[in-house]
Amino acid sequence: MDSDTPPLIVDIDGTLTDETRAIDPRVMPVLREWPARVVIATGKAMPFPIALCEFLGIERTVVAENGGVVFVEATDELRFEGDHEAALAVGEAYRNLGHDLGFGQIDLANRWRETELVVSLDQPLEPLEELAAAQGLVVLDTGFAYHVTDPVVDKGTGLEAVCAELELEPAEFLAVGDSVNDAQMFDLAGEAVAVANADETARERADRVTDATYGDGFLEAVTPYRE
Ligand SMILES: [Mg+2]
C-alpha cells in the first residue's frame, strides 16, 4: 500500500460478512493495516461497530444506525440525529396491530438502538410502511432487516459529520457497500464500490460493481490499493 491510499468507509452486513452476517476473517488484516482512516458505517446499533473497531485494534470512527449515530474517537464527538420517539411509536403501533418486531423478548437488534427501530424481514412490511409514513419516517430494507429511519439521516450525512470532525472531504473516500442504505455515502465518496451481492439501488449508485460477492467482493474492491 502506498501513501495515496484513500480513507475508507465500509458497511458491515453483506460487505464484510457472508450471507449469514458472519465476518469474513480475511477482511480483518486489511482493515487493521489500512494506512488511512477507516470508518465503519452500518445500520447496526453503535455497540456493534465499536466492538468491531475495538477487536480489530483500530481507532473507533463509526456511523451507526444508518447515520443516526456518529462517533469519532479522535475528537471525542458523539452525535445523535433523528426522531427516536417517532420510531418507538411506530414499533408500539405495529405491535398493537398484532405484529411483532421479530427479534424475541430480549431483542438484541433494538436493545442498544438510540435513533431507529428495526423489524425482522419475516414480519409484514406493508403495515410497517404505513405507520412509518404517518410518523414522517421511512422503511429501508437492507437485506438483513427493515429499518424504520428518520429521512433526515443516512450514511451520507454520517460521512459528512465524520469529515467535519476530521477535516477530511467525503470525496477523498473509497466507499464499499451492498445496499440501499449505502446509496447516499456512495454519492458523496470519491469512489463507490458495490459488492456483487448488492441490491439494485446500490449497484446503480456505485462507480463499479465487483465480480465477487460478500467478503470476497470487499477484498476485490480494495485490491487496486493493496498492490
Ligand atoms: Mg449492508
Side-chain angles (χ1 to χ4, degrees):
M1 289 187 242
D2 59 45
S3 58
D4 296 332
T5 309
L8 171 68
I9 183 164
V10 62
D11 169 54
I12 300 177
D13 289 303
T15 304
L16 298 179
T17 72
D18 64 16
E19 65 277 15
T20 71
R21 289 184 300 167
I23 296 262
D24 185 324
R26 296 168 302 159
V27 310
M28 299 182 92
V30 176
L31 295 171
R32 189 184 173 104
E33 292 157 20
W34 196 260
R37 182 74 58 179
V38 174
V39 182
I40 304 295
T42 180
K44 283 180 143 76
M46 184 166 65
F48 294 93
I50 290 290
L52 178 60
C53 292
E54 183 125 348
F55 293 132
L56 282 170
I58 64 173
E59 200 168 283
R60 290 164 288 196
T61 316
V62 161
V63 175
E65 300 192 26
N66 291 311
V69 181
V70 173
F71 177 65
V72 180
E73 180 178 17
T75 58
D76 202 25
E77 171 72 9
L78 176 60
R79 191 201 72 161
F80 298 100
E81 298 277 350
D83 192 342
H84 195 211
E85 293 302 317
L88 293 175
V90 170
E92 192 180 344
Y94 190 70
R95 278 187 294 253
N96 288 342
L97 289 175
H99 307 304
D100 190 271
L101 302 188
F103 297 111
Q105 271 301 111
I106 306 300
D107 193 353
L108 296 180
N110 282 298
R111 192 169 191 85
W112 301 293
R113 211 164 274 273
E114 295 168 284
T115 66
E116 281 192 334
L117 180 88
V118 288
V119 175
S120 173
L121 294 179
D122 57 17
Q123 303 300 313
L125 174 60
E126 206 171 299
L128 186 67
E129 285 183 320
E130 283 172 17
L131 292 167
Q135 291 282 348
L137 304 179
V138 294
V139 180
L140 301 175
D141 176 355
T142 63
F144 293 93
Y146 297 129
H147 292 248
V148 180
T149 301
D150 193 323
V152 302
V153 296
D154 52 55
K155 291 188 187 180
T157 66
L159 173 58
E160 286 174 328
V162 167
C163 284
E165 287 298 308
L166 297 174
E167 296 179 0
L168 291 169
E169 292 296 329
E172 295 175 54
F173 274 79
L174 167 66
V176 190
D178 76 319
S179 147
V180 60
N181 63 333
D182 298 313
Q184 292 89 353
M185 80 175 183
F186 277 9
D187 293 344
L188 294 174
E191 184 181 13
V193 186
V195 289
N197 51 293
D199 65 25
E200 205 179 311
T201 305
R203 300 170 76 94
E204 280 173 3
R205 305 275 272 272
D207 298 307
R208 61 184 166 102
V209 180
T210 62
D211 293 326
T213 57
Y214 297 101
D216 281 313
F218 170 75
L219 294 171
E220 182 185 331
V222 299
T223 293
Y225 301 103
R226 303 189 69 232
E227 286 166 343

